[in-house]
Amino acid sequence: MNAISPSLAKMHGRKVTVHYGQKQALFDVDLDVPERMVTALIGPSGCGKSTFLRCLNRMNDVIDGCKVGGEITLDGQDIYDQKLDVVMLRARIGMVFQKPNPFPKSIYDNVAYGPRIHGMAGTKGELDEIVRSSLEKAGLWNEVKERLDQPGTGLSGGQQQRLCIARAIAVSPEVILMDEPCSALDPIATAKIEELIDELRENFTIVIVTHSMQQAARVSQKTAFFHLGHLIEWGDTEQIFTSPKDERTQGYITGRFG
Ligand SMILES: Nc1ncnc2c1ncn2[C@@H]1O[C@H](COP(=O)(O)OP(=O)(O)OP(=O)(O)O)[C@@H](O)[C@H]1O
C-alpha cells in the first residue's frame, strides 16, 4: 500500500480527475503529499504533472472548460469546498512558475505585495522585517540588500526566480508548488535553487514538477511517476529510482521513453 498515515500527509488527493472540455487529462489519481518533504512529480511530456500540481491550489479554476473531480484535502479540509476562500487557500499554498515572473515593481515591493494585501504587517518596520527575512530564506538578501528599490525585472534569471520564491514565502505559506522552477535557468542558478529547495523543506511542504530525473533524485524524498494521465506509482525517491515496481516507471527512468 502506498497510502501514508493521515497524520503525516499535509495534502491528500483521492480519485482526482481533470477534464479539459471533452479531453480527460487525469484519471483517478490518489496521491498523498507528506509534510515538510519534497515530492517530485515526474513523467513524459503531457502526462499530467502540471495539471495535477495546479489542482493542489485550484489554479485550474482559472482555465476555461477545465473541470476537476475527486477530492483534495489540506490538513483534512476539502479545498474544493464551495465555502472555501480561494484567495486564502492560495496564501496557504504558494506557487512558483517555470519562467521567473517578478511584478514590474521594485525588489522590495515584489516581496511586500502579498503581506500588504493580506494585512500581515502593522507597521513599516514589521513589513521591512518580513521582506528581509523572506529574502534571506530565499538566499537573495546579500545580493539585493543595497538595491531594494530597484526593479525586480533587472535581476538575473536565477535571482529573479529566487525573488519569486521570496515573494511566495513572504505570506508564510504551508505548501509551495513549483512548476519546473529551473527550466529557464543555467546550471549554476539551477544548483542554487536546488540547494534552496533542500533548505526550505525544513519549514515548508514542497511539490515540484520536473523534467529532470537527476533533479528529482537530488531534491526530493518522494517521487510520483505519471504516464498518460495516470499516476503509475509513487513512493520514496530512492525506491522509485532503484527498484521501481512498474515497467513503465523503469522504462522512463532508464531513458527508454520520455
Ligand atoms: N489549458 C489546457 N487546455 C486543454 N488541454 C490542456 C490544457 N493544459 C494541458 N492540457 C492537456 O492535458 C494533458 C496534460 O498536460 P500537462 O501540461 O498537465 O502535462 P505535463 O506532464 O505537465 O506536460 P509537460 O511536461 O509537457 O509540461 C496534455 O494532453 C495537455 O495537452
Side-chain angles (χ1 to χ4, degrees), residues 59-106:
M59 285 297 279
N60 287 323
D61 286 13
V62 298
I63 298 178
D64 263 357
C66 181
K67 202 163 167 295
V68 178
E71 185 184 65
I72 298 181
T73 61
L74 172 66
D75 290 339
Q77 189 190 13
D78 177 9
I79 66 165
Y80 283 84
D81 187 330
Q82 299 275 329
K83 295 189 288 288
L84 190 110
D85 178 347
V86 179
V87 174
M88 280 312 296
L89 176 75
R90 301 213 182 106
R92 292 179 69 188
I93 308 178
M95 191 151 186
V96 175
F97 298 87
Q98 207 167 341
K99 203 166 161 282
N101 59 348
F103 301 136
K105 291 172 180 287
S106 69

Side-chain angles (χ1 to χ4, degrees), residues 4-154:
I4 56 176
S5 151
S7 59
L8 290 176
K10 183 73 181 167
M11 299 191 77
H12 287 280
R14 286 294 173 268
K15 292 200 171 301
V16 177
T17 57
V18 174
H19 286 83
Y20 293 107
Q22 294 297 312
K23 184 187 154 55
Q24 186 160 2
L26 284 183
F27 299 81
D28 289 337
V29 173
D30 287 351
L31 180 63
D32 293 344
V33 175
E35 187 158 31
R36 289 174 203 229
M37 284 192 197
V38 180
T39 298
L41 311 183
I42 63 167
S45 190
C47 67
K49 308 177 292 290
S50 300
T51 295
F52 184 75
L53 190 78
R54 288 195 300 265
C55 289
L56 296 176
N57 71 345
R58 293 185 53 174
M59 285 297 279
N60 287 323
D61 286 13
V62 298
I63 298 178
D64 263 357
C66 181
K67 202 163 167 295
V68 178
E71 185 184 65
I72 298 181
T73 61
L74 172 66
D75 290 339
Q77 189 190 13
D78 177 9
I79 66 165
Y80 283 84
D81 187 330
Q82 299 275 329
K83 295 189 288 288
L84 190 110
D85 178 347
V86 179
V87 174
M88 280 312 296
L89 176 75
R90 301 213 182 106
R92 292 179 69 188
I93 308 178
M95 191 151 186
V96 175
F97 298 87
Q98 207 167 341
K99 203 166 161 282
N101 59 348
F103 301 136
K105 291 172 180 287
S106 69
I107 294 168
Y108 184 98
D109 284 338
N110 262 277
V111 185
Y113 181 83
R116 274 192 186 120
I117 57 171
H118 290 287
M120 290 170 65
T123 62
K124 170 80 168 72
E126 281 172 21
L127 191 59
D128 289 352
E129 180 51 28
I130 294 175
V131 170
R132 187 193 57 76
S133 79
S134 305
L135 287 166
E136 263 180 1
K137 286 185 199 140
L140 191 59
W141 175 248
N142 285 334
E143 288 160 65
V144 300
K145 63 184 178 195
E146 312 294 343
R147 47 170 172 155
L148 292 174
D149 56 346
Q150 290 177 21
T153 47

Side-chain angles (χ1 to χ4, degrees), residues 2 37 220-223 234-242:
N2 254 330
M37 284 192 197
S220 73
Q221 289 71 51
K222 300 281 177 186
T223 294
W234 66 277
D236 290 343
T237 296
E238 205 182 319
Q239 179 256 312
I240 296 287
F241 281 95
T242 56

